[in-house]
Amino acid sequence: MGYTLPLPPFRHISTLSVKELIQAAARFMLISDNLASPEPQFRDHWTLTLDEEEPSLPPINVFGILPNGHFVLIMHEEGVFTLWDLRPGGPPGRQRLVARHEISDETVSMEYTTEGENDTCIVVAALSETTDPPTILVFQFQLNFSTNDSSHGVPQVIQTDLAKYYIGQVRYFARIALQDGLCLAWYNSGEKVVASILDYRSSKRLDLETDIISTTSPDCCLYHGSLIFHHDKLTSAVVSTYFSITQHLQPVPNNSRPGDVDMISKAADRSAVLPLQPPDSSSRANQDPNLIWTTIHPTNTPNANTLCGSPSIFATETMSPTVFDRVPHLSARWMEPRTTLEMLRTGENLDTLVSRTWIDLEGSTASRDDGFEFLISTTCGLRMLWVSYREETDSDGAADEEVLYLIPLLIPDERTTQNAEKRMMRLPIDLFDMLTMDFSDESGTLVIASKSTDQEGSNEGSQDSWKQSNESQVLEIFQY
C-alpha cells in the first residue's frame, strides 16, 4: 500500500500521539496483508440508503472517496452535489448527509482536492458541456468541528461558490484537475490541445494553445508553476513541458471567457520521447499498430500519499481471439514531476528505460447503460478496480456473472514491475445494478453505489421515469 497510512479523520500525521501512530501502523499491516491475498476478505459491511435522508435525489453520476476514506463526495445528475459521512460508529441515528450543493448547469465531470489545516476544506471543480461555451464552476465545503474529536463529531459546513469560468469549444475531449492551488483544464478545441489555468482564489487566468496535436487526451500535471503533458503508449511516453508558465497568469473578472486574456500560442519549451519497458512479447497489443490510448487519472493526485508523484495510467483495447468483444490492456507507472522537469531541463537520462506495470486483462469490461465502463483507478492510483464477466452454471444453465477484481499497480517507491495478478473481491451483492464505485487506498474502504433491487420500478427511460419509480440509491460500504 505504499505510504497510505489509515489516519483518523482530518488528522495530519504530525498531530498523532505515539499510541495513535502504532495503531495506524498496525492497521496498515492488516490492510496490506489482506489486500495481498488472492481473495481479500472484507471485515465489515454496511449499507447507506441515500433516499432515507434526502428523498428524490437525481441519479448518481460519479463519486470520489475523500482522503483517509471517511467521507464521500457524489456528483448527481442535474448539477446536484452531496457530501456523505462514512465514519463508523457514533451516536445512533446520526445524520449521514453532511452537505448538499446545487449549481444551475448539468455537469459531466468533477475533480476535488483538500486544503487548509487538517484538510478540512474540500474544493470541488465541475465541468459543464451543456452551456455555450462550456463552463467550469469551483466551490468549496469548509468543515468545522465543534470539538477536537473529528472521529465522531458532526461538522458544521460552510458552502462557498468560488469562481465560474468559460472555456473554448470542446471538439474531442475535455478534462479538469485541481493542482497546486489552481484549477487546470485541458481540451481539444480544434487540431491542438488548449490549456486553461485558473486561479480561483485571486481571479487570475491563463489560456495556452500548445503545439500538441491529439484527438485523445494526454495526461497533464501542474507542478510548482510548470506544466507537464505526458502521453504513454505501447513502447514510449511523449512528454512536453512549459516551464514557469503560471507567471503569465493575468487578473480577470468572475465569469471570465476566452478572450478576456490574450491567448498564448507557443511550442513546448522542451519535449522528449521516453522509452518504456515494453509489454511481454505475447501481448496482443503488440499486434495492433493503431491502438487508441485513454488516460485514467486518479482524482486529487499528486498528493502526499503518492510522494508527490503523479500516477500515469493509460488504457487501450484489442479484439479478443476467444470472445467477440474487446478486452483491455493497462499501462501504469509513476511520473515524478520534479525528476521529469529536471530531465527535460538538462537533457540527461532521457534514454533510460522507464519501469511500469503492464497488464493484459482477459475478458471484457462491464459498463453502465450510458456506456460508462467499470475500469476505475483507486484514490492514490495504487490499484485498479475492474468489473468483468465470468460464466457461471446453475440449475437454469450457463449465465454471465459480473465479478469485481482489484488489480495492484506499482507503488511510489517501487522501480521494478511487481506481480500484477488480479484479486477477486467476493461480495454479497449483485453488481448488475451498480452505478459506480471507488476504493480508498488509505483506509482500505470500498464503496459501491447501486440501485436497490428490493423495490419495484425501473429507471429505464427518461429522468422523469427515475423520479416516478420506487427505486432507491444505496451505498454499499466494505471495510477491508
Side-chain angles (χ1 to χ4, degrees):
M1 283 190 53
Y3 293 82
T4 54
L5 285 177
L7 303 180
F10 303 109
R11 295 281 303 279
H12 189 269
I13 190 170
S14 62
T15 68
L16 301 187
S17 66
V18 173
K19 180 180 179 180
E20 290 172 322
L21 281 171
I22 293 173
Q23 290 173 339
R27 178 84 183 102
F28 165 80
M29 294 304 299
L30 288 173
I31 296 172
S32 299
D33 291 344
N34 188 5
L35 296 179
S37 64
E39 293 189 11
Q41 304 295 313
F42 62 88
R43 63 180 181 86
D44 196 11
H45 168 221
W46 60 284
T47 300
L48 174 60
T49 303
L50 305 188
D51 304 76
E52 290 181 355
E53 291 200 14
E54 190 74 358
S56 302
L57 276 171
I60 294 172
N61 193 332
V62 296
F63 69 70
I65 303 175
L66 298 185
N68 296 324
H70 303 290
F71 288 77
V72 64
L73 175 68
I74 301 178
M75 184 181 83
H76 303 261
E77 296 180 8
E78 302 181 9
V80 175
F81 295 78
T82 54
L83 182 65
W84 299 84
D85 184 352
L86 302 183
R87 293 171 297 170
R94 183 178 69 197
Q95 183 173 341
R96 294 291 178 175
L97 177 63
V98 177
R100 173 172 175 154
H101 189 83
E102 296 187 25
I103 58 181
S104 58
D105 304 316
E106 179 81 23
T107 53
V108 295
S109 63
M110 76 164 182
E111 290 290 313
Y112 63 84
T113 189
T114 53
E115 297 179 352
E117 186 177 1
N118 294 329
D119 294 328
T120 54
C121 180
I122 303 162
V123 179
V124 184
L127 171 66
S128 172
E129 295 185 30
T130 60
T131 58
D132 187 16
T135 312
I136 296 175
L137 303 104
V138 185
F139 59 92
Q140 73 177 25
F141 299 114
Q142 175 63 55
L143 307 187
N144 297 319
F145 292 89
S146 57
T147 68
N148 293 327
D149 182 15
S150 60
S151 297
H152 300 297
V154 178
Q156 293 181 336
V157 182
I158 301 175
Q159 303 181 37
T160 308
D161 290 316
L162 298 178
K164 181 176 182 179
Y165 301 93
Y166 296 93
I167 61 174
Q169 295 296 336
V170 175
R171 186 175 181 185
Y172 292 109
F173 65 83
R175 296 182 63 86
I176 55 176
L178 290 166
Q179 298 173 359
D180 263 10
L182 301 169
C183 180
L184 170 65
W186 64 103
Y187 55 96
N188 179 297
S189 191
E191 289 187 349
K192 297 180 179 179
V193 176
V194 175
S196 291
I197 302 175
L198 313 166
D199 187 334
Y200 48 85
R201 296 290 184 190
S202 56
S203 296
K204 294 181 179 180
R205 175 178 186 141
L206 161 68
D207 290 327
L208 169 69
E209 183 184 59
T210 73
D211 62 340
I212 301 170
I213 298 176
S214 180
T215 57
T216 59
S217 174
D219 207 347
C220 193
C221 179
L222 190 61
Y223 183 77
H224 291 189
S226 295
L227 190 61
I228 306 170
F229 288 97
H230 53 109
H231 202 160
D232 294 9
K233 299 185 179 182
L234 188 65
T235 59
S236 62
V238 181
V239 184
S240 302
T241 188
Y242 293 81
F243 295 117
S244 304
I245 193 67
T246 56
Q247 67 182 353
H248 299 290
L249 284 165
Q250 300 179 37
V252 292
N254 198 14
N255 298 325
S256 69
R257 296 172 176 266
D260 287 350
V261 295
D262 293 333
M263 173 82 75
I264 298 174
S265 181
K266 61 173 293 187
D269 294 322
R270 292 288 175 83
S271 295
V273 179
L274 307 179
L276 297 179
Q277 181 177 348
D280 189 84
S281 59
S282 62
S283 174
R284 289 189 301 273
N286 292 308
Q287 304 168 15
D288 190 342
N290 299 311
L291 295 173
I292 298 175
W293 295 86
T294 304
T295 181
I296 302 174
H297 190 103
T299 299
N300 194 32
T301 60
N303 60 42
N305 283 329
T306 66
L307 302 184
C308 296
S310 181
S312 182
I313 305 172
F314 286 82
T316 190
E317 293 180 322
T318 59
M319 185 62 69
S320 169
T322 57
V323 296
F324 188 70
D325 207 344
R326 302 188 70 82
V327 296
H329 307 265
L330 285 173
S331 169
R333 66 182 179 93
W334 287 95
M335 196 282 292
E336 298 173 333
R338 183 182 61 81
T339 302
T340 300
L341 289 172
E342 186 65 21
M343 288 170 56
L344 291 172
R345 186 177 282 111
T346 63
E348 297 178 355
N349 301 318
L350 295 178
D351 57 351
T352 302
L353 193 66
V354 179
S355 298
R356 66 171 169 184
T357 303
W358 176 273
I359 303 170
D360 295 311
L361 294 172
E362 297 295 332
S364 55
T365 303
S367 63
R368 210 163 57 187
D369 292 341
D370 61 2
F372 177 85
E373 292 190 330
F374 298 128
L375 182 60
I376 301 172
S377 68
T378 56
T379 56
C380 294
L382 302 185
R383 303 172 178 86
M384 295 293 295
L385 295 170
W386 180 50
V387 178
S388 186
Y389 302 98
R390 184 181 63 170
E391 187 174 282
E392 288 287 316
T393 303
D394 54 24
S395 57
D396 297 325
D400 284 340
E401 175 193 23
E402 293 187 351
V403 180
L404 173 63
Y405 297 96
L406 189 69
I407 305 169
L409 305 176
L410 290 178
I411 62 176
D413 59 348
E414 286 183 320
R415 294 296 174 267
T416 57
T417 303
Q418 69 172 33
N419 179 12
E421 287 293 324
K422 60 183 183 289
R423 283 89 156 110
M424 182 184 295
M425 310 287 276
R426 294 188 180 273
L427 304 173
I429 61 172
D430 189 348
L431 298 179
F432 180 78
D433 292 322
M434 183 169 65
L435 299 170
T436 188
M437 58 185 171
D438 199 8
F439 184 88
S440 170
D441 287 313
E442 297 97 328
S443 65
T445 305
L446 170 67
V447 181
I448 294 177
S450 62
K451 300 169 290 185
S452 68
T453 56
D454 57 349
Q455 301 181 26
E456 297 181 356
S458 171
N459 73 316
E460 295 180 357
S462 67
Q463 181 68 242
D464 291 337
S465 67
W466 170 278
K467 292 179 178 179
Q468 294 168 4
S469 75
N470 293 322
E471 288 186 325
S472 297
Q473 299 178 96
V474 300
L475 299 183
E476 303 282 355
I477 299 103
F478 299 89
Q479 192 70 54
Y480 284 85

